């Protein structure tokens, strides 16, 4: 228990009396004490003795930001016996930013997902899924060169996300954590080299091409990233083997795919418009535990970097965008299978404008499956198990 | 055989009420709400269809009816359910027109547990009720928020947040529907 509190200074311990009197009713955020030392001490002592106390029954673990009434957070309500989780409920925080609603009425040829939420950086996968959905409605496909570059983007996102997950999970392995986080910067530079600005925000292809000198620069940066990735060793996290199991059947029924599904032995064959080709689980890899998820992630990332290098070397010539075409009225959806699972985008178009934009990130399914993975997990391992799923709560903005 | 053909062949009693079409490379079935559960159970359980993956469930809001003579042709809320089969590599879209005043349909959580959050979001943002959902509470808005800001006629720019220090309420201030025990 202490290690959770040490590693996650944002842990919030609720008032147990109010929790038991009226569970689930949020308090006024202005009343929240972000950390209550006395409660923390009581909880640690109770857990150390393996006893159940009223205080130890509920732990509210808030993953950034600390104030539960602010947007972009996830919450897990855990029931514990001694030091083990007996029941878990996962919930999102308050995420509404009106993203989908603001898209209604926009002209279909000018929809940039990140502009809707005022972000500087593009979220590549939903933007790509949106372009694919509109292309499906129009009955066109992007040119070969654009499809290859889109594949490069999906692969680089896979590497980037793998490093984030590893950095978040390696709570007890500071050297590994530092190495993963340092490498993220290299991969960020690679990704920005491809999707600078609004490159992906184009139906029928890409808004801008990758110039020869940019390609050369990317190929020069890649070996360092490949070497850095190869140096990451998971031996320091061996104690996560067998911990946080997500059975294959649960993953399937919850709709989980991507690396979480494959780490549990689930065939990752969700029909997609643009698929990330992840690694096949190796021998003994598909155990469905936190360590298997990390191994699968790293194997995926290594494969993805290899594909990026190959694609950039053999990039087909030609245009990166289709010539003029019209997008008729109707409903269409597209699925992009990213490293963490499938991004689904549905569009309804009327008179050249969006009537509905629906973005469904993979986290929706993962959160539904998460409580099962926490069943019986020691409190010390909870943070690492949750982190091993690679939830990016910002993906759930609406 | 296409998915609509399989449905028509194996659920012959529903053939007359299940129009189908092919859109792009996706089969589209239009299912009246009373038959939704029967058809969805078939799509999941029939070995030749095997839609084991609920990709998404959402709604398209065409807005409230305009004054007579200028109104839209179809229903206001169109429920859209996206399914796929991992084993057959196929995708199916199911569409159901919901009642304008009481948009309700039977929950999909008993067929695909992954519908849990998506159905809460449908209630939260659009006021569409998944009847039988185990915990129909707000999910992206705080408890006590008012209204359903995903609806196209929701006041633009209106804050859905409850007043500070208050308990929310108002015309739509029902943070949890029936205490989450439906």
């Amino acid at each position: 228990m202490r290690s959770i509190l040490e590693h996650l200074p944002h842990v919030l311990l609720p008032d147990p009396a109010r929790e038991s009197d009226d569970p689930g009713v949020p308090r006024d955020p202005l009343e929240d004490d972000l950390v209550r030392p006395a409660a923390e001490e009581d909880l640690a002592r109770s857990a150390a003795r393996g006893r159940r106390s009223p205080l130890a029954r509920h732990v509210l673990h808030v993953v950034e930001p600390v104030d539960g009434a602010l947007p972009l957070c996830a919450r897990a309500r855990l029931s514990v016996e001694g030091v083990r989780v007996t029941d878990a409920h996962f919930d999102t925080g308050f995420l509404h930013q009106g993203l989908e609603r603001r898209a209604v009425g926009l002209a279909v040829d000018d929809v940039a997902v990140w502009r809707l939420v005022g972000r500087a950086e593009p979220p590549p996968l939903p933007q790509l899924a949106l372009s694919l959905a509109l292309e499906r409605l129009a009955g066109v496909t992007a040119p070969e060169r654009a499809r290859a570059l889109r594949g490069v983007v999906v692969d680089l996102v896979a590497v980037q996300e793998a490093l984030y997950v590893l950095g978040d999970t390696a709570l007890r392995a500071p050297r590994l954590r530092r190495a993963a986080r340092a490498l993220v910067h290299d991969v960020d530079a690679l990704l920005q080299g491809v999707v600078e600005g609004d490159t992906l925000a184009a139906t029928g292809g890409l808004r801008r091409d990758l110039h020869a000198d940019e390609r050369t620069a990317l190929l020069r940066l890649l070996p360092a990233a490949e070497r850095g990735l190869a140096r990451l060793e998971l031996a320091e996290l061996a104690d996560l083997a067998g911990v946080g199991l997500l059975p294959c059947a649960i993953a399937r029924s919850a709709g989980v795919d991507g690396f979480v599904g494959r780490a549990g032995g689930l065939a990752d064959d969700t029909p997609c418009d643009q698929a990330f080709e992840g690694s096949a689980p190796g021998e003994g890899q598909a155990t469905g535990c936190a360590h298997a998820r990390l191994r699968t992630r790293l194997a995926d990332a290594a494969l993805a970097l290899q594909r990026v290098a190959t694609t950039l070397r053999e990039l087909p010539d030609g245009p990166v965008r289709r010539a003029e075409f019209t997008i008729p009225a109707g409903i269409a959806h597209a699925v992009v299978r990213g490293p963490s699972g499938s991004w689904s985008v549905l569009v309804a178009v009327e008179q050249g404008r969006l009537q509905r934009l629906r973005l469904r990130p993979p986290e929706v399914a993962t959160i539904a499956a998460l409580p099962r993975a926490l069943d019986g997990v020691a409190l010390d391992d909870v943070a690492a198990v949750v982190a091993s799923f690679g939830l990016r709560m910002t993906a759930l903005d609406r | 055989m296409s998915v609509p053909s399989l449905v028509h062949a194996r659920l012959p009693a529903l053939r007359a009420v299940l129009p189908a079409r092919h859109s792009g490379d996706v089969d589209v079935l239009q299912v009246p709400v009373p038959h939704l559960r029967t058809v969805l159970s078939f799509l999941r359980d029939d070995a030749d269809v095997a839609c084991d993956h609920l990709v998404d469930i959402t709604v398209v809001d065409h807005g409230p009816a305009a004054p007579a003579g200028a109104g839209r042709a179809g229903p206001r809320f169109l429920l859209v359910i996206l399914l796929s089969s991992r084993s057959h590599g196929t995708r199916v879209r199911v569409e159901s027109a919901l009642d304008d005043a009481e948009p309700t349909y039977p929950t999909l959580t008993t067929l695909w547990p992954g519908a849990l959050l998506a159905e809460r979001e449908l209630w939260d943002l659009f006021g569409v009720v998944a009847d039988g959902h185990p915990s129909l509470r707000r999910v992206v808005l705080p408890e006590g928020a008012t209204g359903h800001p995903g609806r196209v006629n929701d006041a633009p720019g209106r804050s859905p947040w409850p007043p500070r220090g208050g308990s929310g309420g108002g015309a739509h201030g029902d943070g949890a529907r029936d205490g989450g025990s439906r």
Side-chain angles (χ1 to χ4, degrees):
Chain A
M1 189 63 227
R2 277 195 183 284
S3 66
I4 290 183
L5 298 173
E6 284 162 7
H7 287 301
L8 293 169
H10 308 312
V11 160
L12 171 68
L13 301 174
D15 180 327
R18 292 193 66 166
E19 281 294 314
S20 56
D21 286 342
D22 206 0
V25 175
R27 292 165 295 168
D28 185 332
L30 297 179
E31 291 178 8
D32 279 351
D33 295 329
L34 299 183
V35 176
R36 296 185 175 84
E40 175 184 327
E41 188 64 26
D42 189 334
L43 185 58
R45 280 204 308 272
S46 170
R49 288 196 297 267
R51 283 192 358 214
R52 182 171 179 160
S53 79
L55 185 57
R57 286 170 64 187
H58 297 288
V59 179
L60 189 66
H61 166 207
V62 178
V63 181
E64 294 184 357
V66 289
D67 189 328
L70 291 175
L72 315 179
C73 62
R75 291 180 294 170
R77 186 182 302 276
L78 308 177
S79 297
V80 298
E81 287 281 357
V83 295
R84 299 218 168 257
V85 174
T86 56
D87 195 21
H89 294 278
F90 248 77
D91 218 334
T92 63
F94 307 132
L95 301 161
H96 183 65
Q97 298 187 56
L99 186 155
E100 292 178 350
R101 179 69 179 79
R102 280 202 288 276
V104 174
L106 290 179
V108 289
D109 55 358
D110 186 31
V111 183
V113 171
W114 67 94
R115 272 193 230 125
L116 296 172
V117 286
R119 286 193 196 156
E121 80 281 9
L125 300 190
Q127 185 68 55
L128 177 53
L130 171 62
S131 296
L132 288 164
L134 292 171
E135 286 164 17
R136 180 184 283 267
L137 197 56
V140 300
T141 54
E144 191 183 7
R145 184 176 173 90
R147 294 203 304 275
L149 286 170
R150 284 173 170 179
V152 167
V153 171
V154 175
D155 277 330
L156 288 176
V157 169
V159 183
Q160 187 189 45
E161 290 195 5
L163 293 170
Y164 278 131
V165 170
L166 194 55
D168 289 347
T169 312
L171 297 173
R172 305 161 196 161
R175 207 173 40 183
L176 179 61
R177 187 178 173 86
R178 277 196 300 274
R181 291 194 163 172
L183 197 50
V184 164
H185 295 296
D186 293 349
V187 178
D188 279 348
L190 285 166
L191 192 54
Q192 283 167 21
V194 185
V195 291
E196 183 189 359
D198 52 2
T199 305
L200 287 175
T203 309
L206 303 177
R207 200 171 281 271
R208 64 180 283 275
D209 199 357
L210 186 71
H211 301 302
D213 54 341
E214 292 172 317
R215 183 169 68 153
T216 306
L218 287 169
L219 284 168
R220 199 178 300 132
L221 286 170
L222 267 172
E226 286 181 298
R227 282 195 302 274
L229 200 61
R231 278 199 295 268
L232 297 178
E233 289 282 347
L234 294 179
E236 288 180 83
L237 298 175
D239 58 343
L240 289 178
V243 175
L245 291 166
L246 184 66
C248 182
I250 300 296
R252 178 180 288 278
S253 67
V256 172
D257 53 15
F259 83 108
V260 174
R262 274 181 294 115
L266 188 63
D268 190 8
D269 53 0
T270 303
C272 285
D273 297 270
Q274 175 115 20
F276 166 72
E277 303 298 335
S279 66
E283 192 176 345
Q285 190 161 313
T287 55
C289 65
H291 201 259
R293 285 189 284 278
L294 295 178
R295 290 198 304 270
T296 306
R297 273 284 204 183
L298 274 188
D300 283 0
L303 267 181
L305 271 188
Q306 286 172 20
R307 272 196 304 269
V308 169
T310 305
T311 305
L312 287 176
R313 283 191 202 102
E314 301 169 2
L315 197 60
D317 292 326
V320 292
R321 195 170 186 184
R322 283 274 167 242
E324 293 296 309
F325 55 86
T326 55
I327 300 173
I331 295 176
H333 87 280
V335 178
V336 171
R337 189 169 62 235
S340 297
S342 300
W343 265 96
S344 163
V345 167
L346 178 134
V347 291
V349 175
E350 285 181 9
Q351 297 178 333
R353 295 188 178 274
L354 283 178
Q355 177 73 23
R356 174 84 169 106
L357 169 66
R358 159 70 173 164
L359 309 167
R360 196 231 57 162
E363 281 78 1
V364 171
T366 310
I367 284 181
L370 202 50
R372 281 297 296 267
L374 290 175
D375 200 16
V377 167
L379 282 172
D380 271 358
D381 293 328
V382 165
V385 168
V386 172
S388 73
F389 283 89
L391 296 172
R392 314 303 298 178
M393 297 308 297
T394 51
L396 291 166
D397 296 1
R398 288 291 175 276
Chain B
M1 192 181 279
S2 70
V3 170
S5 303
L6 283 166
V7 174
H8 288 167
R10 294 177 190 176
L11 296 174
L14 298 182
R15 184 179 304 180
V17 295
L18 293 181
R21 67 179 190 276
H22 199 71
S23 172
D25 58 351
V26 178
D27 288 315
V28 182
L29 277 166
Q30 291 170 302
V31 184
V33 170
H35 302 300
L36 199 54
R37 190 161 183 85
T38 304
V39 174
L40 291 175
S41 298
F42 171 83
L43 293 175
R44 187 192 68 163
D45 297 336
D46 186 274
D48 292 326
V49 182
C51 284
D52 59 340
H53 189 194
L54 174 72
V55 178
D56 199 10
I57 174 168
T58 190
V59 72
V60 177
D61 177 9
H62 293 284
R72 53 186 158 68
R76 171 171 184 174
F77 295 108
L78 185 69
L79 184 72
V80 182
I81 301 164
L82 307 173
L83 303 171
S84 71
S85 166
R86 298 175 199 260
S87 51
H88 298 300
T90 52
R91 283 191 256 181
V92 182
R93 190 166 87 224
V94 175
E95 298 176 351
S96 280
L98 302 180
D99 183 79
D100 280 18
E102 296 281 342
T104 303
Y105 68 96
T107 182
L108 307 191
T109 52
T110 49
L111 294 171
W112 294 281
L116 203 69
L117 285 182
E119 291 191 334
R120 282 177 58 190
E121 192 177 321
L122 275 184
W123 151 245
D124 194 0
L125 296 185
F126 290 93
V128 170
V129 176
D131 198 20
H133 189 285
S135 180
L136 205 56
R137 296 173 286 122
R138 292 208 181 260
V139 61
V140 295
L141 288 169
E143 301 290 340
T146 57
H148 303 288
R151 292 186 172 191
V152 296
N153 62 327
D154 198 82
R158 181 187 68 80
S159 170
W161 295 82
R164 191 177 293 278
S167 58
H172 303 282
D174 36 2
R177 188 183 163 85
D178 294 353
S181 57
R182 295 171 63 87

